[in-house]
Amino acid sequence: MGASKLDLHAEDIKTMATIAKVFAHPARIAILQYISKQESCICNDIVDEIGLSQPTISQHLQVINKAGLLKGNYKGKSICYCLNVERFQEFQAQFNHFFKTTTAKCC
Amino acid sequence: MGASKLDLHAEDIKTMATIAKVFAHPARIAILQYISKQESCICNDIVDEIGLSQPTISQHLQVINKAGLLKGNYKGKSICYCLNVERFQEFQAQFNHFFKTTTAKCC
DNA sequence: TTGTTATATTGCAATATTACGATTATACTG
DNA sequence: CAGTATAATCGTAATATTGCAATATAACAA
């Protein structure tokens, strides 16, 4: 099928998976790293940097944005995309909690 | 297409995405948490716990296993799956590094 | 307003993922 | 060895993701 039986899983478990999905594509990791490095980061720069087409980058940006990790302000004709640091730290906290609470008992 | 242009991205970026993919499905998160909680954790228990079919669970276990996160020993007829803690901690370290090195400069 | 540049959206093709029934392999038991 | 229980594999269907060309929209400049 391809559709995950979402109702099966607890809310926090679904949240973790949703967060992880954002990071589950190299282009999105690359975009996040690039955005965080640059002082000013307009979409066209990202396109040049990553090597994917403008629509594809835009699509990945949308995924990142939907996760709440993006802030954008117009800088002239371009948009300066920036990392939503607060949200990013929330994600990190979720991961840390997941790692902390997942420790093997057996073997 | 669906195929990611892998050659575009740096090795460490691909690694991050690959790791994240393991966590990018609620069933796998649930499996990992369940495995870590139980003293002894046979596959059939996981099937009962998660509510997906045996082949589906087996498929997810394979994904987790390919990532190196699984240890399994036969316990009678069943297999006791356990978390490879060392590998799991490696993953955590990778995430920590990613989060640490990705900090916004602009906005 | 018209033209220009930058980004978003749409539509579509290719591939990947998820899920399960049917079957096969594996390890034990009698 | 034959029988049983458990897990893996195969085949296949449904859905999701990825990627891009074409097009639309948005913001500015003249």
Side-chain angles (χ1 to χ4, degrees), chain A residues 47-105:
Chain A
V47 173
D48 294 343
E49 174 75 11
I50 314 282
L52 292 166
S53 75
Q54 181 267 320
T56 302
I57 295 292
S58 190
Q59 212 170 323
H60 282 302
L61 280 169
Q62 204 179 39
V63 174
I64 298 172
N65 187 44
K66 268 184 187 162
L69 286 177
L70 231 49
K71 285 185 196 170
N73 338 47
Y74 267 93
K75 274 257 165 76
K77 292 174 206 165
S78 327
I79 296 178
C80 171
Y81 289 110
C82 298
L83 190 69
N84 182 343
V85 180
E86 293 76 22
R87 184 78 172 141
F88 194 63
Q89 284 170 350
E90 273 177 41
F91 277 29
Q92 181 170 21
Q94 288 269 4
F95 265 109
N96 282 341
H97 182 258
F98 170 63
F99 277 109
K100 207 165 62 181
T101 55
T102 309
T103 330
K105 277 189 184 170

Side-chain angles (χ1 to χ4, degrees), chain B residues 20-56:
Chain B
K21 241 180 205 173
V22 179
F23 303 130
H25 194 285
R28 289 195 288 270
I29 300 280
I31 289 172
L32 284 166
Q33 288 190 340
Y34 183 73
I35 283 180
S36 81
K37 265 187 300 186
Q38 301 310 109
E39 305 269 336
S40 176
C41 33
I42 62 180
C43 179
N44 237 314
D45 290 354
I46 305 176
V47 172
D48 294 344
E49 174 76 11
I50 314 282
L52 292 166
S53 74
Q54 180 268 317
T56 303

Side-chain angles (χ1 to χ4, degrees), chain B:
Chain B
M1 291 195 213
S4 68
K5 295 183 156 184
L6 281 177
D7 1 344
L8 285 177
H9 308 292
E11 209 54 49
D12 57 332
I13 287 179
K14 285 190 275 183
T15 302
M16 264 309 300
T18 305
I19 292 176
K21 241 180 205 173
V22 179
F23 303 130
H25 194 285
R28 289 195 288 270
I29 300 280
I31 289 172
L32 284 166
Q33 288 190 340
Y34 183 73
I35 283 180
S36 81
K37 265 187 300 186
Q38 301 310 109
E39 305 269 336
S40 176
C41 33
I42 62 180
C43 179
N44 237 314
D45 290 354
I46 305 176
V47 172
D48 294 344
E49 174 76 11
I50 314 282
L52 292 166
S53 74
Q54 180 268 317
T56 303
I57 295 293
S58 191
Q59 212 170 322
H60 283 301
L61 280 170
Q62 203 179 40
V63 174
I64 298 172
N65 186 43
K66 267 184 188 162
L69 285 177
L70 229 50
K71 285 186 196 170
N73 339 45
Y74 268 94
K75 274 254 166 77
K77 291 175 206 166
S78 325
I79 296 179
C80 170
Y81 289 108
C82 297
L83 190 68
N84 183 345
V85 181
E86 293 75 24
R87 184 76 173 143
F88 195 61
Q89 283 170 350
E90 273 177 41
F91 276 29
Q92 182 169 20
Q94 288 268 6
F95 265 109
N96 283 341
H97 181 258
F98 169 64
F99 276 109
K100 207 165 62 182
T101 55
T102 308
T103 331
K105 277 189 184 170
C106 74
C107 301

